[in-house]
Amino acid sequence: MPLYNHLKEYRAKINVNQHEMGQLVGVSRQTISQIERGDYSPSVTLALKIAKVFEVPVEAIFTYEEESEKEK
């Protein structure tokens, strides 16, 4: 699924590591790592919690792009 994110950049802005970010939103460090790598797409609830930490719309952190015919 082509879901892209800027989570790592936003974490750097507030100077928190993956473990601390996980604690802020109620997930493990590993989950934050998987989201940043694009290996895991967060639930809507988790995406909203993450956006709330940064006080930005969810679209500022997560973007979805349709797959082109060549990629399918």
Side-chain angles (χ1 to χ4, degrees), residues 9-43:
E9 293 91 339
Y10 274 90
R11 272 195 315 103
K13 287 180 183 181
I14 65 169
N15 197 31
V16 297
N17 63 34
Q18 290 178 338
H19 176 75
E20 293 164 334
M21 186 70 218
Q23 288 183 320
L24 289 171
V25 297
V27 298
S28 68
R29 179 203 62 77
Q30 291 87 347
T31 299
I32 298 300
S33 176
Q34 289 176 329
I35 292 169
E36 289 181 357
R37 289 192 319 262
D39 293 339
Y40 177 76
S41 294
S43 66

Side-chain angles (χ1 to χ4, degrees), residues 2 4 65-72:
Y4 302 97
E65 294 182 17
E66 293 286 337
E67 291 181 86
S68 69
E69 288 298 317
K70 291 180 183 178
E71 294 174 347
K72 289 183 179 179

